[in-house]
Amino acid sequence: MRLVILGPPGAGKGTQTSRLASDLGIAHIATGDIFRAMRSSTDTQQSPLADRLRSYMDRGELVPDELTNEIVAHRLAEPDAEPGFLLDGYPRTTEQAKVLDAELEAQGRPIDKAVKLMITGPEIIARLAGRLVCPVDGATYHLRSNPPRVPGLCDLDGTPLVQRPDDTEEAVLRRLEVYGKQTKPLYDWYAARGILDEVDAIGTPDEVYERLAKVVGLHRNGVGGAT
Ligand code: AP5
């Protein structure tokens, strides 16, 4: 299966998609995660690129289409993406969707389904304002809805948790503006192709996952047991 998961910042894309891709047995390709890994690289040859990425991301701007498309094309050519993949955070502009569609059509493996995670403005702000991440392994927590076992420390490796640099009020407002102008048109793009589904992203992570799993045809016997 080849999936695209869309939604505004804080909709829960990261929370839901790593689990969904694992249950579906397909590659999870998250451009935000790829960029964060690239920018934290200590390889000196990558430093100018890391600085460039930091300057876009921390202000809540999109990384330019050309660079993003190139990185995703390389990632999609890796063997683990051959049986299927889930794209999280890509495409994010009409230009990216055009390039992706053209490449996949040429390879005879078009996108099967795009899913929009629906969430309201106040819930977005509450989720992003309470998000904490581990700077080492990228694990995501929330002060209220998904707190770490020991306050302020990553469950997996005990590293002190931090706020994402783009979760400041200023950057969040810019991300929402960019989403409204550049990413929202993609809903029409996929609806016109007859492959768009919508999922209510309000509720507990397990409740949202149940809805998502149903929409992508993952038959389950309750949360936690893919069949
Ligand atoms: P990216 O990392 O993709 O950020 P985003 O799209 O803004 O999404 P987020 O990661 O903020 O939110 P999410 O939907 O994954 O929510 P999460 O699961 O964490 O991109 C970052 C930057 O990289 C971009 O701004 C851009 O600069 C660049 N970039 C990436 N892709 C690009 C592209 N294609 N083109 C150009 N540039 C690109 O959940 C949020 C919080 O809510 C967490 O604390 C979580 O625990 C909590 N939560 C989740 N679900 C629930 C729930 N059901 N109930 C309560 N709390 C919940």
Side-chain angles (χ1 to χ4, degrees):
M1 175 172 270
R2 295 173 293 273
L3 277 175
V4 167
I5 305 291
L6 301 161
K13 300 183 295 295
T15 301
Q16 299 294 337
T17 54
S18 38
R19 182 177 174 187
L20 185 64
S22 162
D23 282 354
L24 287 167
I26 57 179
H28 176 215
I29 301 176
T31 40
D33 290 348
I34 293 173
F35 289 144
R36 277 184 287 279
M38 289 171 72
R39 60 179 271 179
S40 66
S41 167
T42 51
D43 180 341
T44 47
Q45 283 193 321
Q46 280 203 358
S47 283
L49 177 57
D51 288 344
R52 232 179 117 202
L53 291 174
R54 202 168 289 123
S55 77
Y56 295 119
M57 295 171 79
D58 291 356
R59 283 184 291 124
E61 302 291 342
L62 293 183
V63 175
D65 286 338
E66 201 182 323
L67 175 60
T68 306
N69 288 334
E70 196 184 320
I71 286 166
V72 174
H74 275 105
R75 181 64 187 87
L76 284 171
E78 288 179 26
D80 69 324
E82 179 64 36
F85 52 81
L86 183 161
L87 291 168
D88 160 8
Y90 180 92
R92 225 153 162 129
T93 65
T94 306
E95 180 56 28
Q96 291 179 12
K98 268 187 206 160
V99 169
L100 177 69
D101 274 10
E103 273 171 13
L104 294 178
E105 290 288 345
Q107 295 165 12
R109 50 171 191 164
I111 295 294
D112 298 308
K113 192 179 280 291
V115 182
K116 170 186 179 182
L117 292 182
M118 296 190 302
I119 179 173
T120 57
E123 180 71 15
I124 291 175
I125 302 295
R127 287 190 187 180
L128 295 181
R131 175 163 59 186
L132 292 171
V133 294
C134 175
V136 175
D137 58 33
T140 299
Y141 302 87
H142 191 276
L143 282 170
R144 190 170 36 83
S145 62
N146 179 27
R149 283 194 293 270
V150 178
L153 299 181
C154 179
D155 289 351
L156 304 178
D157 60 10
T159 302
L161 301 174
V162 297
Q163 187 187 38
R164 241 170 67 172
D166 58 348
D167 278 348
T168 59
E169 190 181 343
E170 194 184 355
V172 166
L173 291 176
R174 181 62 190 142
R175 283 160 66 200
L176 289 172
E177 196 181 337
V178 167
Y179 162 77
K181 284 191 186 143
Q182 303 201 54
T183 306
K184 267 188 167 174
L186 293 183
Y187 300 135
D188 288 340
W189 176 273
Y190 287 112
R193 284 153 184 77
I195 58 169
L196 181 72
D197 273 295
E198 296 182 342
V199 164
D200 179 1
I202 304 280
T204 66
D206 280 349
E207 286 167 350
V208 176
Y209 188 76
E210 281 295 337
R211 294 174 202 139
L212 190 54
K214 195 171 168 195
V215 156
V216 301
L218 185 64
H219 301 298
R220 299 172 59 81
N221 292 328
V223 169
T227 59

